[in-house]
Amino acid sequence: NAGVMQNPRHLVRRRGQEARLRCSPMKGHSHVYWYRQLPEEGLKFMVYLQKENIIDESGMPKERFSAEFPKEGPSILRIQQVVRGDSAAYFCASSPGDRAGLNFGAGTRLSVL
Amino acid sequence: AQSVTQLDSHVSVSEGTPVLLRCNYSSSYSPSLFWYVQHPNKGLQLLLKYTSAATLVKGINGFEAEFKKSETSFHLTKPSAHMSDAAEYFCVVTRTLDSNYQLIWGAGTKLIIKP
C-alpha cells in the first residue's frame, strides 16, 4: 500500500507564475489535508477536503490560493501569481475518516524566484 | 487556547547516550498529543501519540513519551541514540477536542548525533 504521494518534490517558479501541487492520498483514504511549513516553523493547516467537497478552508489565504479534490484523480493545491513569500514546503496528509490519524506525504518544496 | 512549546531548537548528543526532547503544552481540555519526526527531505512520520489512555506512550524506533498533566509536559525520550535518529522532531497538539487535523505544531527540535 503506497503512502501519500506528492509531486513534484521540488517546484521552482518565477514571481507571477502559477504553481500546481498534486497529492494522491493513500488507497482507501477519502480525506485530504494540506499544510504549509515556512522555514524554521511548524506546519500550519490550510485546507481539509473530502471528495468534491471543501470541508474546512479556514487556513487558506483569501486570495490566489485554491484547492480541489475531484471525484477522480489527485487533490490539487493551486497558487496563482506566486510571490516570494509563497516559498515553503507544502505537505499533504490523508486519512480514512475524520477521527483517524493523519498520514503525511514527503512534501513539495516550492521556491519562488 | 491551545499551544505547544518545544524548549530546545537544537539538541546534540553522542551516539549511545540518552535522548531528551522537551515539549510543554497549554490546553483548556485534555488534549491529544503527538510526536512526529522529519528526516531531511522526507515526509513526516508519526512516532507516537497520546490520547488519554496510558500516560507513558511507547512509539517506534525505541522512543517513548510521558504525559505529565501536572507539569503540562510531553517530553520525548530514548535510552540510547543511534546515528539514524538524526532528524527534526515536532511536538503536536490538537487544537480542538474533536478534530484530528486542526493541529498546533511546535517549532521543531533538530536532533544531532555525534559519533
Side-chain angles (χ1 to χ4, degrees):
Chain A
N1 190 6
V4 177
M5 303 300 292
Q6 290 188 249
N7 66 82
R9 292 294 307 278
H10 301 274
L11 182 61
V12 179
R13 285 288 177 266
R14 297 190 181 280
R15 280 179 295 170
Q17 292 184 320
E18 178 180 288
R20 291 170 71 87
L21 289 62
R22 287 177 291 278
C23 169
S24 295
M26 288 182 67
K27 188 176 181 181
H29 288 194
S30 59
H31 299 242
V32 165
Y33 316 81
W34 286 94
Y35 294 82
R36 177 165 59 177
Q37 183 184 30
L38 295 171
E40 307 299 321
E41 293 186 17
L43 274 66
K44 297 283 196 303
F45 167 74
M46 298 181 76
V47 62
Y48 162 32
L49 309 105
Q50 294 180 24
K51 286 285 187 182
E52 300 184 281
N53 285 306
I54 295 174
I55 308 302
D56 183 350
E57 57 181 347
S58 57
M60 286 279 269
K62 293 287 184 270
E63 297 175 350
R64 301 188 297 108
F65 284 72
S66 62
E68 63 175 8
F69 188 19
K71 189 176 180 181
E72 301 289 338
S75 175
I76 305 287
L77 179 67
R78 182 180 176 207
I79 311 172
Q80 296 178 291
Q81 299 173 342
V82 295
V83 301
R84 288 224 173 98
D86 296 332
S87 295
Y90 292 83
F91 286 91
C92 171
S94 74
S95 74
D98 59 6
R99 300 299 174 98
L102 305 186
N103 297 271
F104 283 85
T108 293
R109 280 158 180 81
L110 173 65
S111 297
V112 179
L113 304 179
Chain B
Q2 280 61 253
S3 67
V4 60
T5 302
Q6 290 184 244
L7 297 161
D8 307 291
S9 60
H10 295 79
V11 168
S12 181
V13 302
S14 297
E15 190 175 18
T17 64
V19 174
L20 170 64
L21 305 183
R22 298 182 295 166
C23 172
N24 285 110
Y25 71 92
S26 170
S27 179
S28 54
Y29 59 89
S30 185
S32 293
L33 290 153
F34 309 81
W35 276 97
Y36 279 87
V37 60
Q38 184 180 24
H39 287 91
N41 297 314
K42 295 282 182 65
L44 289 149
Q45 182 180 23
L46 178 65
L47 274 180
L48 49 82
K49 62 180 178 181
Y50 166 77
T51 53
S52 75
T55 56
L56 183 62
V57 183
K58 292 189 184 301
I60 61 171
N61 301 336
F63 284 94
E64 62 182 36
E66 186 172 6
F67 175 73
K68 291 187 176 180
K69 188 174 181 178
S70 60
E71 298 176 11
T72 60
S73 69
F74 190 56
H75 301 334
L76 182 71
T77 60
K78 183 173 180 176
S80 176
H82 192 272
M83 293 301 290
S84 61
D85 295 328
E88 189 160 18
Y89 293 77
F90 292 93
C91 182
V92 183
V93 66
T94 47
R95 186 186 294 274
T96 64
L97 188 61
D98 57 357
S99 168
N100 68 327
Y101 68 92
Q102 287 280 11
L103 304 171
I104 300 171
W105 293 70
T109 298
K110 286 188 171 69
L111 178 60
I112 300 159
I113 311 296
K114 296 178 288 188

